[in-house]
Amino acid sequence: MTLLKVEEIETYIEQYHILQGISFEVLKGEITVLFGRNGAGKTTTLRSVMGLSPISKGQITFRGENIGSLPTYEIARRGIGYVPEDQGIFKDLTVEENMRISILKRDESALEKLEWILNLFPDLKTLWHRKSGLLSGGQKQMLALARAYVGDNELLLVDEPSKGLAPIMVEKVMQAIEQMKEKTTVVLVEQNFFMASTIGDRFYIVDEGRIVHHGLMQELKEDEDARKKYLGIA
Amino acid sequence: MNLDVIVNLLVNGLATGMLIFLLASGLSLIFGLMDVLNFSHGGLFAWGAYMGVWVYVSTGSFLLAVVGAVLGGVAIGFILERWIIRPIYGNHLQQILVTLGVMLVLSELLKVFWGPNPLNAAVPPYLDGSWQLGGIILIKYRLFIIIVGILLLVGIQLLLTRTKLGLVVRAGVLNKEMVQALGYNIKRIFSIVFMLGAGMAALGGVLLAPYSGVIFSEMGMQFAILAFIVVVIGGMGSVQGSAVASVLVGLSGAFMAYYVPDLSLAVNMLLMVLVLLIKPSGLYGLKR
């Protein structure tokens, strides 16, 4: 079942034509990875889906509803969570406050999700009353993922969670995202092919604001020529 | 150095500080959250004073005067935010020009409604007079202002730290985009904060009127400058910082005016320069 469908979207940032007709589909329960070099348009793609960088053309459909023209807060309320590249943590708020603000409706389901994610990231429990600005890079990433997850979201857009993290931490974060897949659908922007390919189901390669290649992750793993051509790795 | 002089100066300084706090805390939140340089804030303060005096003269009730002034301030704040400030979000140059213009319009409108001459404002009888403790004279109305200021500070702190709205406002000061991405309508939050700030400015105005005994249409600008100094000293977006800086400015003003009158006008600027040199983000400047 298609959860998110992005069709021929174009986005400008100031006078720059960043996205020039991006299309992709996200199936429910899968991890879809967007690959591409720096400046290819991956982050702008996620921001456009969230309404933070409004599209000028094209259509974005989430659960069958056109969300392309909705304001960001309405898109978030439809069930899309966002973890930006800089994690978007509120540094002067505690871990508890960062989590509390993401729960719009405090019902049994929200509390169950909170319990589940705190079991996945037990560090957050011990740091519950600490200001999040004092957390390490890895802990901040865990908090950002946990915050997006508990917000009653059916789809998470996660932008480069491995950026700036130590290899051991990257592995932990990737494992956590894989476990979160049991409960939610994920669109992952990542440059670390080796890590992302271990958890991704499908991939899209973005270059100069367009999708230049896509398919199943297994196909890309087996296709050395495509990896060399599009990602510059053997 | 007499104890009674020191106590009187403390009370005067604290009372003035609390009045500045009422103006500055709203200004600080509006700047911190909405990134709006609102020079019209002093106009709301003056309108609060005029509306309060008008209601008090008309009804004889100081409580009604306070309520009327605050509601009037909130209403003007709503109109300003919705139709004048909202179209210029994100453009500081336009904000300075437009809000300065609004400040002038608000001042001139006061003359249209209440005439060009200053108005006298009386202290309500039950808050008039003083208590004498040995050589120390405590003026009732000044103590009243200090108590109201402290209660409001506690109230705002509770609002910011114990409620969901406060949590969203504090988060919004740090990262507006992320607050929207979590499902909150930031424009609505902006409106609420602007109206809250406007109401507090009006409250400051209505409380100042009996304190100074006379009000005039340009009084807003005079206090707005002090409030801006306080916001810079305390740190943009921090209510706690505004409170501490207001008390500092109030006390230093009172003591300097008594002991070194020649320096009393310069002391606020000196304080601001000192804080900017040591901590450019202000005493309680938030990390963004």
Side-chain angles (χ1 to χ4, degrees):
Chain A
M1 179 202 162
T2 302
L3 190 62
L4 177 77
K5 194 171 184 184
V6 175
E7 295 169 276
E8 292 291 321
I9 59 165
E10 296 194 22
T11 302
Y12 285 81
I13 295 179
E14 293 171 1
Q15 75 270 37
Y16 303 108
H17 195 184
I18 307 293
L19 302 188
Q20 304 179 17
I22 291 243
S23 299
F24 65 95
E25 276 187 49
V26 177
L27 301 186
K28 195 176 165 111
E30 287 194 347
I31 295 180
T32 303
V33 184
L34 302 184
F35 290 118
R37 59 176 176 75
N38 273 340
K42 307 182 299 294
T43 293
T44 307
T45 302
L46 295 194
R47 288 179 58 84
S48 293
V49 173
M50 277 314 289
L52 293 164
S53 297
I55 57 172
S56 59
K57 271 187 193 163
Q59 188 163 309
I60 302 171
T61 317
F62 179 63
R63 290 196 296 209
E65 182 192 4
N66 182 7
I67 58 164
S69 55
L70 292 178
T72 299
Y73 74 94
E74 287 285 3
I75 294 170
R77 281 172 177 258
R78 296 292 192 277
I80 303 182
Y82 177 50
V83 180
E85 202 175 344
D86 66 358
Q87 298 144 350
I89 294 297
F90 303 116
K91 293 175 184 169
D92 266 34
L93 304 189
T94 63
V95 170
E96 184 266 333
E97 287 173 325
N98 267 280
M99 294 298 287
R100 185 151 52 94
I101 199 171
S102 66
I103 300 173
L104 294 175
K105 205 169 71 179
R106 200 173 173 84
D107 54 15
E108 206 167 302
S109 139
L111 295 177
E112 267 175 30
K113 287 183 101 179
L114 181 64
E115 196 182 329
W116 187 85
I117 201 76
L118 288 178
N119 285 332
L120 186 62
F121 299 127
D123 281 5
L124 294 181
K125 267 190 213 169
T126 55
L127 301 164
W128 200 236
H129 296 294
R130 184 173 294 184
K131 277 199 177 177
S132 54
L134 302 173
L135 305 185
S136 69
Q139 289 165 339
K140 279 182 190 158
Q141 193 57 259
M142 286 175 189
L143 175 59
L145 285 168
R147 192 178 63 178
Y149 174 74
V150 294
D152 199 21
N153 294 317
E154 208 175 328
L155 172 68
L156 300 188
L157 310 178
V158 185
D159 197 353
E160 293 215 41
S162 69
K163 197 176 177 184
L165 299 186
I168 183 118
M169 213 58 228
V170 173
E171 210 174 320
K172 268 191 177 177
V173 166
M174 290 296 166
Q175 279 170 2
I177 292 173
E178 193 175 19
Q179 281 183 269
M180 287 165 80
K181 183 185 151 185
E182 293 169 20
K183 305 270 181 182
T184 187
T185 305
V186 178
V187 176
L188 180 66
V189 160
E190 193 48 76
Q191 294 212 41
N192 187 334
F193 171 76
F194 296 103
M195 281 296 173
S197 63
T198 60
I199 62 168
D201 297 295
R202 258 163 234 282
F203 74 93
Y204 287 83
I205 297 177
V206 186
D207 193 31
E208 293 186 351
R210 293 187 180 90
I211 300 293
V212 291
H213 189 45
H214 68 100
L216 294 173
M217 190 63 81
Q218 193 57 36
E219 292 168 359
L220 187 62
K221 279 188 196 172
E222 291 164 5
D223 189 347
E224 199 182 320
D225 291 342
R227 290 206 308 273
K228 258 188 194 163
K229 183 179 174 188
Y230 296 112
L231 302 174
I233 47 174
Chain B
M1 199 180 281
N2 295 329
L3 183 66
D4 54 335
V5 172
I6 290 174
V7 172
N8 279 323
L9 289 175
L10 269 176
V11 172
N12 287 353
L14 280 175
T16 310
M18 287 304 164
L19 288 172
I20 300 169
F21 165 70
L22 291 174
L23 192 59
S25 53
L27 198 62
S28 179
L29 272 182
I30 288 168
F31 189 85
L33 177 71
M34 300 160 70
D35 200 22
V36 169
L37 290 163
N38 181 22
F39 283 92
S40 65
H41 208 63
L44 293 158
F45 184 75
W47 266 82
Y50 272 77
M51 287 187 292
V53 168
W54 178 66
V55 174
Y56 185 51
V57 169
S58 308
T59 65
S61 164
F62 187 63
L63 184 64
L64 272 183
V66 170
V67 172
V70 171
L71 291 179
V74 169
I76 297 171
F78 173 76
I79 294 165
L80 284 184
E81 194 278 331
R82 181 69 187 81
W83 284 285
I84 296 176
I85 307 285
R86 197 176 285 186
I88 53 171
Y89 279 146
N91 188 327
H92 282 159
L93 181 63
Q94 281 187 11
Q95 285 165 12
I96 292 168
L97 295 173
V98 169
T99 57
L100 266 174
V102 170
M103 169 82 203
L104 293 173
V105 170
L106 286 175
S107 293
E108 291 307 307
L109 279 175
L110 287 173
K111 292 178 190 163
V112 171
F113 286 107
W114 285 285
N117 296 325
L119 298 183
N120 291 323
V123 177
Y126 49 89
L127 293 173
D128 205 3
S130 58
W131 288 297
Q132 191 158 0
L133 299 171
I136 302 167
I137 296 167
L138 295 171
I139 296 169
K140 282 186 193 172
Y141 192 73
R142 289 180 186 176
L143 290 175
F144 168 72
I145 288 177
I146 294 170
I147 291 166
V148 171
I150 291 169
L151 287 177
L152 265 165
L153 173 61
V154 172
I156 294 172
Q157 283 295 349
L158 288 176
L159 178 78
L160 287 175
T161 55
R162 300 285 169 90
T163 68
K164 191 73 177 269
L165 172 67
L167 182 61
V168 176
V169 169
R170 285 191 293 142
V173 169
L174 298 162
N175 190 338
K176 285 183 269 294
E177 202 170 72
M178 203 60 223
V179 165
Q180 295 177 79
L182 289 173
Y184 296 94
N185 182 352
I186 199 81
K187 281 185 184 167
R188 187 172 297 165
I189 308 287
F190 281 2
S191 296
I192 292 169
V193 168
F194 199 91
M195 287 192 287
L196 182 73
M200 285 177 58
L203 177 63
V206 68
L207 292 180
L208 172 85
Y211 178 78
S212 63
V214 66
I215 57 174
F216 50 98
S217 59
E218 288 84 13
M219 63 188 276
M221 184 52 95
Q222 195 180 319
F223 264 78
I225 291 168
L226 277 178
F228 269 105
I229 291 172
V230 159
V231 170
V232 173
I233 293 175
M236 311 279 186
S238 167
V239 171
Q240 210 178 342
S242 292
V244 172
S246 297
V247 170
L248 269 177
V249 166
L251 287 176
S252 58
F255 278 86
M256 291 303 257
Y258 186 81
Y259 289 109
V260 198
D262 289 345
L263 269 181
S264 65
L265 287 176
V267 68
N268 299 323
M269 289 293 175
L270 288 174
L271 257 177
M272 186 168 73
V273 169
L274 197 67
V275 170
L276 285 176
L277 280 173
I278 297 166
K279 196 162 182 279
S281 60
L283 294 175
Y284 290 76
L286 297 174
K287 296 181 196 104
R288 286 170 195 247

